[in-house]
Amino acid sequence: MGNFLKDRKSKFDLLKALRLQKKETYMQREVPSRLFSQCSGCNRTFPLKEKEDNQYICPYCGGYFPMPAEQRAKSILESGYEKIIFEDKTRNPLVFDGYEEKQETMRQKTALDEGVLCFRGKIGDSPTVLCVMDSRFFMGSMGSEVGERITFAFELATEEKCPVVVFCASGGARMQEGMYSLMQMAKTSAAAKRHSDSGQLFISCLTHPTTGGVTASFASLGDIILSEPKALIGFAGPRVIAQTMGKKLPDEFQKAEFLLEKGFVDHIVERKDMKQTLSFLLKLHRKEELV
Ligand SMILES: [Zn+2]
């Protein structure tokens, strides 16, 4: 009798384990990423084309997907804009093991040549230099090439007497470039200051996520700081801060809405309204029309 009960129990456990395994396999089944996209907010799947047509917004729950840099530029600038081509140069100042290969793999995977792309064109009828960071490339982290491109964009705009708009998305400094990466914070900030001293406008648009050295440099230096809804914006992660302060942090800590309340962000703009808002702000600040 004892054995019979034991057998039944082990059979039951086995069946339970099998069912669980089946469920996990079902849950983990991969969605073909070239054709379909899955929303991490509501878990629903829809054709990739639908996502692209809907400005990378989930058609079911309205959640935002990261927007590729090229598509962002296309959605903001008037047609006829120019993409600034930089000399394709692999940088590895610390001779970090495997970094060059990783850059090459990343280039092939994302069709990007770095974590930021720069453009020259018009938003509405205002000539503008636009930089768009792309979190698919090393999490949009700022290495020496990203710093160089942002600096170049500010210098070009200073020379051409036009505003700069930067869409930020970054995990912070590029780990593989150590100190060279941290130096970009001072370099980009100095370029932003020279641009500002020449009397030109800089609008910083923060998207999810903007963290680390990018938040601690040019991203926070905009004359106007806009943000997409629910974007995570901060320097260090919330866990590190909670441990350091020894306090429980508010629920919405480091979210765009929280930062708007505290005065760090000037306005939260939905993706569909971003072009119109930028166009309005740039027009409002155009000097020649006041004369
Ligand atoms: Zn969704």
Side-chain angles (χ1 to χ4, degrees):
M1 186 71 179
N3 272 348
F4 173 71
L5 275 177
K6 205 175 153 195
D7 282 355
R8 270 196 68 171
K9 192 172 177 300
S10 57
K11 220 180 240 178
F12 177 73
D13 284 343
L14 188 70
L15 273 172
K16 202 170 144 189
L18 276 174
R19 214 171 289 153
L20 205 69
Q21 201 180 10
K22 206 171 162 189
K23 198 176 166 191
E24 273 172 9
T25 318
Y26 174 73
M27 296 283 282
Q28 283 167 4
R29 197 177 293 163
E30 277 193 18
V31 178
S33 58
R34 282 187 191 176
L35 297 173
F36 291 95
S37 196
Q38 192 171 27
C39 172
S40 60
C42 65
N43 273 333
R44 295 179 82 162
T45 305
F46 43 88
L48 193 61
K49 178 85 177 60
E50 204 175 319
K51 180 169 103 173
E52 288 168 2
D53 291 347
N54 199 30
Q55 286 204 316
Y56 291 77
I57 300 171
C58 171
Y60 298 105
C61 72
Y64 282 18
F65 291 92
M67 202 170 181
E70 294 268 10
Q71 271 81 353
R72 176 81 72 176
K74 209 169 151 190
S75 76
I76 296 292
L77 293 164
E78 305 304 321
S79 56
Y81 63 85
E82 174 201 348
K83 180 180 170 186
I84 301 171
I85 306 293
F86 294 89
E87 194 189 327
D88 187 19
K89 205 155 124 192
T90 303
R91 292 175 188 243
N92 190 4
L94 298 180
V95 202
F96 194 92
D97 195 24
Y99 181 39
E100 281 161 45
E101 292 77 22
K102 213 166 174 190
Q103 287 181 65
E104 192 46 47
T105 315
M106 208 62 101
R107 279 191 195 116
Q108 282 171 10
K109 207 170 141 190
T110 61
L112 291 163
D113 57 356
E114 248 304 338
V116 66
L117 300 182
C118 304
F119 305 87
R120 183 157 55 170
K122 280 186 169 182
I123 300 178
D125 49 7
S126 307
T128 310
V129 174
L130 174 77
C131 301
V132 188
M133 304 188 81
D134 197 313
S135 59
R136 291 173 302 155
F137 198 93
F138 281 98
M139 265 313 290
S141 56
M142 179 161 67
S144 41
E145 178 65 20
V146 169
E148 179 58 32
R149 288 183 182 198
I150 299 278
T151 305
F152 176 84
F154 276 110
E155 286 172 350
L156 178 70
T158 310
E159 208 171 288
E160 297 195 344
K161 296 184 175 55
C162 71
V164 174
V165 174
V166 182
F167 277 85
C168 307
S170 180
R174 180 87 47 93
M175 187 194 81
Q176 292 86 343
E177 295 189 28
M179 194 48 160
Y180 286 87
S181 181
L182 298 179
M183 279 158 58
Q184 306 311 312
M185 291 164 64
K187 181 173 157 178
T188 51
S189 300
K193 171 80 167 70
R194 286 194 294 272
H195 177 254
S196 174
D197 286 348
S198 73
Q200 297 303 323
L201 180 74
F202 165 34
I203 304 181
S204 177
C205 304
L206 311 178
T207 70
H208 179 78
T210 300
T211 59
V214 167
T215 308
S217 60
F218 63 88
S220 306
L221 295 175
D223 297 301
I224 299 169
I225 300 180
L226 304 177
S227 173
E228 285 196 332
K230 295 181 185 157
L232 176 89
I233 302 151
F235 182 65
R239 208 169 51 187
V240 177
I241 299 173
Q243 278 170 4
T244 313
M245 311 245 309
K247 276 185 186 170
K248 192 184 175 294
L249 300 170
D251 289 340
E252 288 299 297
F253 183 67
Q254 291 185 327
K255 283 285 162 73
E257 290 70 13
F258 183 81
L259 296 169
L260 175 74
E261 206 184 295
K262 301 289 172 195
F264 182 87
V265 166
D266 295 311
H267 194 39
I268 294 178
V269 184
E270 287 194 26
R271 198 170 277 177
K272 64 176 176 52
D273 302 326
M274 192 55 96
K275 181 179 176 173
Q276 209 186 352
T277 307
L278 284 172
S279 164
F280 172 72
L281 289 171
L282 292 170
K283 192 169 184 170
L284 205 66
H285 287 82
R286 260 173 47 194
K287 292 211 166 88
E288 69 266 32
E289 289 185 8
L290 294 172
V291 181

